[in-house]
């Protein structure tokens, strides 16, 4: 499976072209544009749907989502059109599912949107890494997405750092995995 990594086109992504394909997906799955989940999605889409795939992520091995420019999807659309793509779909899961819905509302060129387990609101931005013993914390005054350099209106989290991270860990422990940390969003 051929891949072209793109970092200077207004987005961070990997293009997985399929010879002769005129349709493509923008896929925002996994923590990096070339990690296992992204590669598996690209391979599945090519094999089952016969389409090219552009996998996107915020940056190399960065799962933080704070003030991500929606315009990067516009840049990805332009790139795909330069590759001869005529129809474009977008897919995301969880936070990127929300981002896929936002992007589709701004770009009519996106004719099919698949958003798996998105929240039904724009989330406050968040960081991942290591800070005061926590692996994730909210971005103070930051949305998950921005448009024309301004944060989109968002719903702030009920908790601040470090309580936010402690609640995430407690929910994950009670549910058996990090995917069970849903109560922080309910609060």
């Amino acid at each position: 499976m051929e891949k072209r990594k793109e970092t200077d086109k207004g987005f961070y992504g990997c293009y997985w072209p399929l010879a002769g394909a005129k349709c493509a997906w923008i896929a925002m799955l996994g923590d990096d544009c070339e990690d296992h989940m992204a590669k598996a999605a690209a391979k599945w889409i090519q094999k089952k749907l016969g389409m090219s795939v552009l996998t996107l992520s915020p940056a190399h091995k960065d799962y933080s989502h704070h003030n991500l420019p929606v315009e990067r999807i516009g840049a990805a659309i332009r790139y795909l059109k330069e590759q001869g793509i005529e129809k474009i779909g977008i897919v995301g899961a969880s936070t990127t599912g929300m981002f896929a819905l936002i992007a589709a509302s701004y770009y009519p060129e996106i004719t099919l949107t698949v958003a798996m387990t998105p929240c039904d609101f724009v989330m406050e931005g968040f960081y991942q890494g290591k800070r005061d013993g926590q692996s994730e914390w909210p971005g103070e005054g930051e949305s998950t997405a921005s448009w024309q350099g301004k944060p989109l209106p968002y719903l702030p989290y009920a908790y601040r750092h470090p309580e936010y991270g402690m609640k995430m860990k407690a929910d994950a422990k009670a549910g058996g995995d990090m995917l069970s940390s849903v109560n922080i969003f309910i609060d």
Side-chain angles (χ1 to χ4, degrees):
M1 194 165 71
E2 179 191 350
K3 169 193 77 176
R4 287 185 242 152
K5 195 163 194 175
E6 301 293 347
T7 58
D8 62 349
K9 303 279 186 194
F11 60 87
Y12 176 81
C14 296
Y15 183 52
W16 310 85
L18 186 63
K22 295 294 181 191
C23 301
W25 281 94
I26 296 171
M28 300 176 292
L29 302 166
D31 293 346
D32 190 76
C33 69
E34 58 185 338
D35 72 4
H36 177 73
M37 189 182 299
K39 286 180 189 176
K43 187 175 182 179
W44 187 89
I45 290 168
Q46 287 185 340
K47 183 177 179 181
K48 298 289 186 181
L49 303 176
M51 298 176 184
S52 295
V53 182
L54 178 60
T55 55
L56 297 183
S57 54
H60 181 65
K61 301 287 184 195
D62 180 6
Y63 195 66
S64 299
H65 288 94
H66 49 92
N67 290 331
L68 293 175
V70 179
E71 293 89 344
R72 72 188 194 109
I73 301 301
I77 291 168
R78 283 188 299 280
Y79 176 81
L80 288 171
K81 287 184 173 191
E82 290 169 3
Q83 309 310 309
I85 299 299
E86 297 170 2
K87 294 194 78 141
I88 299 168
I90 191 166
V91 59
S94 191
T95 307
T96 59
M98 175 200 61
F99 196 75
L101 292 171
I102 293 168
S105 74
Y106 280 88
Y107 293 100
E109 297 93 337
I110 297 172
T111 57
L112 180 61
T113 304
V114 176
M116 297 174 279
T117 65
C119 52
D120 58 354
F121 56 91
V122 177
M123 296 170 29
E124 180 173 6
F126 62 89
Y127 289 81
Q128 284 193 341
K130 293 186 181 189
R131 180 178 175 202
D132 304 326
Q134 303 304 320
S135 59
E136 186 171 303
W137 58 95
E140 300 296 329
E142 294 182 76
S143 178
T144 48
S146 66
W147 179 252
Q148 297 178 342
K150 295 179 183 164
L152 292 179
Y154 62 90
L155 181 63
Y157 296 115
Y159 306 103
R160 306 313 317 152
H161 178 72
E163 187 179 17
Y164 171 96
M166 293 186 297
K167 292 279 188 185
M168 287 277 258
K169 286 180 183 175
D171 280 357
K173 186 176 181 183
D177 62 42
M178 277 306 282
L179 299 176
S180 298
S181 58
V182 70
N183 288 326
I184 194 166
F185 299 105
I186 292 170
D187 292 347

